[in-house]
Amino acid sequence: MSSKPEQKETHQANGAVLPIVPVDCHTSPDRGQLVEPSDFLGPHGNGVEVVVLESRANAKGVREEDALLENGSQSNESDDTNTDRRPEPASPLKETSFSIGLQVLFPFFLAGFGTVAAGMVLDIVQHWDVFKYVTEVFILVPALLGLKGNLEMTLASRLSTAANIGQMDTPKELWKMITGNMALIQVQATVVGFLASVAAVVFGWIPDGHFNISHAVLLCASSVATAFIASLVLGMIMIGVIIGSRKMGINPDNVATPIAAGLGDLITLALLSGISCGLYKELESKVYVNPLVFSFFIALLPIWIFIAKKNPATREVLYSGWEPVVIAMAISSVGGLILDRTVSDPNFAGMAVFTPVINGVGGNLVAVQASRISTYLHMSGMPGEGLENAPRKCPSPCSTFFSPDVNSRSARVLLLLVVPGHLVFLYTISSMQGGHTTLTLIFIVFYMTAALLQVLILLYIADWMVHWMWGRHLDPDNFSIPYLTALGDLIGTGLLALSFHILWLIGDRDSDVGD
């Protein structure tokens, strides 16, 4: 039988271009392309079996088999080689509730104990002179702790997605991702740290009508230095965690963001307290120290901008990623204003130790969920693709928490961690004699109600926000987590302050609120 040579063609499979080598073949009338193993005729009429190996690729041109799946592997479907069909987004996340809970549990408690330690630190430093006489520092606390959520947790989510879809598999790709992202977060940390200090000055000045220039410079220097150093340390830790998780066959989405949150709270608060205290002592004798520290970190900005612009992976975020972190900083600053006004009242001094805990736990859990949903969507293509997975209206609570899909399953697991986690953290605070509050039954009930309501609201908002951003061609890894963690700070601080006020009004003297 005669055969005629075919011209070379290319076939696109989910974003990857696969060459089709010229062969002599029979082409069935209902097939336009050769996509299955077939029997070809050699030049002498002998049947030669040619096996066409499929390379399923996701929208970013990386083989889906390299994505980090449960137990570090994915089953091979050798009998299904149709490259015309887009892989289902759910396939990379075949995880049970038990496996999700098991992977999240350890980093969740590690992060929780980090927030407990941060709460203990805040309980101690609130009595330092700098916190007494420059009370605007309290406004910086949620803003800078939230900056950790805005930057480090976004970095963790972005790198987790990159690792899961194979963009960090070679040393060259890994190095480019590290240098570009580290430079990017230094730029964002410096700028947002400065804006946070400006917000603290404004929020402190408006109610009292008193402005102190030396205190304003102190806040700027403390905020910028804290943001820069904390981002540098936490960024390196996050890179190590994600690389280690991938080597151990653990989904980085489940572990990276909680560790970033837990360590971030403690490191950031300790740095803010130490730096602000040291700079406060230099106000009278060496007035030039504060402006010098501030100018030094601002002068480093052009270097980080140059490095971030050279990397294509971070260039777009450098230009377009400011809106979420700036708005999130403003939202967290409102929470800081609530904390400042509440803790400054001696009746509610005990709130300081619990604020980083409730905010940290809520932010940790919603960041895990947002990162998981974002990775789930990235498996179907680039932002805006697979719009059937991005509903344009708000989901119902039933679909968020009770549907059979993997994202609803993870939401249930994360919600179930709230009560036992907070009970452990409250017991730890009580056993270490932290705060000014005795744990009574009514206090625990109010606290747990506030914590559950906070996480419930955040998980629901995350389900809507991530899909909504995806439908608008925005990468949720860069845009969703800053808003969610900032809302966690505001909701957590507001609900906790409300709980303390109600306890004080109903006269729960046994809990010693405010002693």
Side-chain angles (χ1 to χ4, degrees):
M1 177 178 176
S2 62
S3 61
K4 59 180 179 179
E6 293 184 358
Q7 295 182 351
K8 291 185 179 181
E9 298 176 354
T10 57
H11 174 67
Q12 183 173 350
N14 304 325
V17 177
L18 306 177
I20 297 180
V21 181
V23 292
D24 295 335
C25 62
H26 290 293
T27 304
S28 62
D30 57 340
R31 290 179 182 268
Q33 299 180 14
L34 193 64
V35 295
E36 292 186 349
S38 307
D39 292 331
F40 298 103
L41 294 179
H44 303 293
N46 297 326
V48 180
E49 183 178 355
V50 179
V51 179
V52 180
L53 295 179
E54 175 194 8
S55 177
R56 272 183 171 177
N58 55 38
K60 297 190 178 182
V62 183
R63 289 185 298 111
E64 186 177 318
E65 284 84 354
D66 288 338
L68 183 62
L69 307 178
E70 183 183 359
N71 300 325
S73 64
Q74 180 181 15
S75 60
N76 294 323
E77 299 175 1
S78 58
D79 58 340
D80 181 11
T81 55
N82 186 359
T83 53
D84 289 333
R85 186 183 63 201
R86 181 181 296 277
E88 303 227 347
S91 61
L93 295 175
K94 293 177 181 176
E95 296 173 293
T96 64
S97 298
F98 178 76
S99 66
I100 295 172
L102 192 62
Q103 291 188 16
V104 172
L105 190 63
F106 174 73
F108 168 73
F109 277 103
L110 178 64
F113 285 121
T115 60
V116 169
M120 299 294 294
V121 170
L122 183 59
D123 186 51
I124 295 171
V125 301
Q126 67 173 324
H127 304 294
W128 289 6
D129 288 344
V130 64
F131 283 85
K132 286 183 178 179
Y133 301 113
V134 190
T135 59
E136 294 86 355
V137 179
F138 279 114
I139 302 177
L140 281 179
V141 171
L144 290 182
L145 297 191
L147 183 66
K148 159 268 305 173
N150 301 344
L151 302 183
E152 273 65 43
M153 293 173 71
T154 300
L155 171 68
S157 178
R158 189 162 56 238
L159 293 183
S160 295
T161 297
N164 276 337
I165 63 178
Q167 289 186 341
M168 297 172 62
D169 288 347
T170 66
K172 183 178 179 180
E173 291 176 332
L174 179 62
W175 179 247
K176 286 178 63 177
M177 291 294 292
I178 290 175
T179 55
N181 279 280
M182 287 297 294
L184 174 65
I185 64 171
Q186 295 311 314
V187 175
Q188 292 178 322
T190 304
V191 174
V192 178
F194 170 68
L195 294 178
S197 64
V198 172
V201 171
V202 172
F203 285 149
W205 167 63
I206 290 177
D208 300 332
H210 177 69
F211 179 78
N212 188 316
I213 184 64
S214 60
H215 288 182
V217 177
L218 167 68
L219 289 171
C220 291
S222 301
S223 181
V224 170
T226 299
F228 181 93
I229 298 173
S231 293
L232 181 65
V233 174
L234 291 168
M236 292 188 293
I237 293 175
M238 281 305 93
I239 292 170
V241 168
I242 291 170
I243 295 175
S245 299
R246 184 160 172 78
K247 290 183 180 295
M248 295 174 63
I250 298 174
N251 188 346
D253 285 318
N254 292 336
V255 299
T257 49
I259 292 176
L263 295 178
D265 284 341
L266 179 59
I267 292 174
T268 304
L269 187 55
L271 284 171
L272 175 62
S273 304
I275 292 173
S276 60
C277 181
L279 293 177
Y280 180 75
K281 293 179 180 178
E282 303 296 334
L283 274 181
E284 294 183 0
S285 58
K286 301 176 182 178
V287 294
Y288 61 86
V289 171
N290 285 279
L292 185 63
V293 170
F294 174 73
S295 301
F296 171 76
F297 288 105
I298 294 296
L300 293 176
L301 265 178
I303 300 175
W304 309 127
I305 293 175
F306 175 76
I307 297 174
K309 285 179 65 176
K310 289 183 62 178
N311 194 318
T314 55
R315 187 184 301 121
E316 181 182 354
V317 182
L318 181 65
Y319 292 121
S320 64
W322 291 102
E323 178 184 341
V325 294
V326 172
I327 294 178
M329 178 274 301
I331 295 173
S332 295
S333 297
V334 176
L337 181 60
I338 296 174
L339 176 64
D340 180 30
R341 293 301 166 187
T342 305
V343 175
S344 299
D345 188 337
N347 290 320
F348 309 111
M351 178 180 163
V353 72
F354 300 105
T355 302
V357 179
I358 192 170
N359 291 349
V361 170
N364 299 347
L365 295 178
V366 75
V368 170
Q369 181 71 350
S371 182
R372 288 178 58 87
I373 298 175
S374 179
T375 297
Y376 174 86
L377 291 173
H378 271 96
M379 291 301 178
S380 68
M382 299 296 288
E385 296 181 6
L387 292 179
E388 66 276 4
N389 299 313
R392 297 182 180 275
K393 60 182 181 179
C394 292
S396 67
C398 290
S399 65
T400 300
F401 296 102
F402 301 108
S403 66
D405 65 84
V406 66
N407 293 323
S408 180
R409 188 182 307 130
S410 62
R412 293 192 295 270
V413 171
L414 296 174
L415 191 60
L416 288 174
L417 290 175
V418 174
V419 172
H422 273 296
L423 285 175
V424 172
F425 303 146
L426 288 178
Y427 176 77
T428 303
I429 292 174
S430 177
S431 62
M432 297 177 66
Q433 298 180 350
H436 307 265
T437 304
T438 304
L439 299 184
T440 62
L441 178 60
I442 188 171
F443 173 80
I444 293 175
V445 168
F446 271 87
Y447 182 88
M448 288 300 172
T449 302
L452 274 171
L453 188 59
Q454 176 208 34
V455 175
L456 194 71
I457 294 172
L458 289 176
L459 291 176
Y460 177 76
I461 294 176
D463 188 27
W464 164 77
M465 181 178 289
V466 173
H467 287 95
W468 179 79
M469 288 182 172
W470 185 269
R472 298 194 62 180
H473 302 270
L474 300 174
D475 190 344
D477 282 328
N478 298 327
F479 289 90
S480 65
I481 289 182
Y483 290 118
L484 293 170
T485 54
L487 287 173
D489 291 341
L490 177 59
I491 295 172
T493 305
L495 290 175
L496 189 61
L498 180 62
S499 299
F500 268 78
H501 278 83
I502 294 175
L503 286 170
W504 184 77
L505 289 175
I506 64 177
D508 181 29
R509 304 306 180 187
D510 292 336
S511 65
D512 298 330
V513 174
D515 285 354

